[in-house]
């Protein structure tokens, strides 16, 4: 039996509700985009790297820097998508704007775990530099996690998932090296 015949037979014997659920998952997979999470995690790691000159409340300032930078870049990406791509193709409506905001939200979500790491660092007995290293580790772990999630959601093989994770570890290494080289 050929692949086409098997697919046709399976479609005929699969209940409509299951076919609909499968097609819905397949459609979500085709539209899933984790690049914002990967990008946002790299951005958060870079913000942590650059947070060297801090004032009287260094932890609070790092948390605010992470969250506010995430918001600004999220808004920037929403603007770029809406006015860079969409405007030329079709008119904007509320539904399109909300969908783009949701699609780009992982950029902002990626800033939250490193910010939380800084916020809880005193409970772990960490000084400010320890908090910075913790936030950097959390941001880079997020970057790898988002890449693995993207690869798995796309249905990639285990080998490709491992490659995606490895590439993102390699992308994080320069940030760690910069942190080691740049003493604040």
């Amino acid at each position: 039996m050929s692949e086409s015949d098997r697919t046709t037979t399976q479609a005929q014997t699969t209940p409509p509700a299951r076919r609909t659920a499968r097609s819905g998952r397949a459609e979500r997979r085709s539209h899933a985009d984790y690049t914002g999470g990967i990008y946002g995690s790299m951005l958060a790691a870079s913000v942590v790297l650059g947070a060297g000159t801090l004032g009287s409340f260094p932890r609070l300032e790092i948390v605010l820097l992470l969250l506010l930078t995430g918001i600004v870049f999220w808004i920037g990406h929403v603007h770029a998508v809406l006015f860079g791509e969409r405007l030329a193709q079709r008119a904007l409506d509320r539904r399109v704007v909300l969908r783009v905001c949701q699609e780009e939200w992982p950029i902002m979500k990626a800033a939250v775990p490193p910010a939380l790491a800084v916020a809880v660092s005193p409970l772990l007995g960490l000084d400010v530099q320890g908090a910075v290293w913790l936030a950097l580790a959390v941001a880079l772990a997020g970057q790898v996690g988002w890449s693995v999630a993207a690869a798995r959601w796309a249905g990639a093989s285990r080998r490709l998932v491992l490659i995606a994770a490895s590439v993102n570890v390699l992308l994080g290494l320069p940030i760690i090296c910069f942190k080691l080289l740049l003493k604040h």
Side-chain angles (χ1 to χ4, degrees):
M1 179 181 272
S2 74
E3 181 67 33
S4 174
D5 293 339
R6 254 188 304 232
T7 304
T8 303
T9 302
Q10 186 179 21
Q12 292 169 347
T13 59
T14 304
R18 282 188 58 203
R19 278 197 307 261
T20 303
R22 281 185 188 157
S23 65
R25 283 192 301 270
E27 185 177 332
R28 282 193 305 275
R29 276 192 184 131
S30 70
H31 289 89
D33 186 1
Y34 291 90
T35 56
I38 297 166
Y39 175 76
S41 294
M42 290 181 77
L43 174 65
S46 299
V47 167
V48 170
L49 176 68
T53 8
L54 303 169
S56 304
F57 303 99
R59 283 186 175 89
L60 177 61
E61 291 174 13
I62 294 171
V63 168
L64 289 174
L65 258 170
L66 283 163
L67 297 176
L68 294 174
T69 302
I71 289 171
V72 168
F73 273 77
W74 170 68
I75 291 169
H77 274 255
V78 168
H79 170 76
V81 170
L82 289 175
F83 295 98
E85 295 176 9
R86 309 262 187 217
L87 198 58
Q89 296 172 4
R90 62 182 160 178
L92 294 177
D93 63 24
R94 178 183 163 99
R95 189 177 43 85
V96 170
V97 172
L98 291 175
R99 190 177 78 244
V100 171
C101 287
Q102 181 181 14
E103 288 171 359
E104 297 299 322
W105 189 244
I107 292 171
M108 179 55 211
K109 280 175 49 174
V112 173
L116 286 174
V118 173
V120 302
S121 66
L123 300 174
L124 302 173
L126 298 174
D127 64 1
V128 174
Q129 282 307 308
V132 167
W133 278 106
L134 177 62
L136 185 59
V138 168
L140 295 176
Q143 177 183 329
V144 173
W146 281 102
S147 69
V148 167
R152 289 187 54 125
W153 189 253
S157 67
R158 287 184 182 186
R159 180 174 174 264
L160 284 178
V161 171
L162 183 60
I163 289 171
S166 300
V167 166
N168 278 278
V169 167
L170 291 174
L171 287 171
L173 286 177
I175 296 172
I176 292 170
C177 291
F178 295 151
K179 177 64 182 149
L180 290 170
L181 293 172
L182 299 171
K183 305 281 186 209
H184 293 292

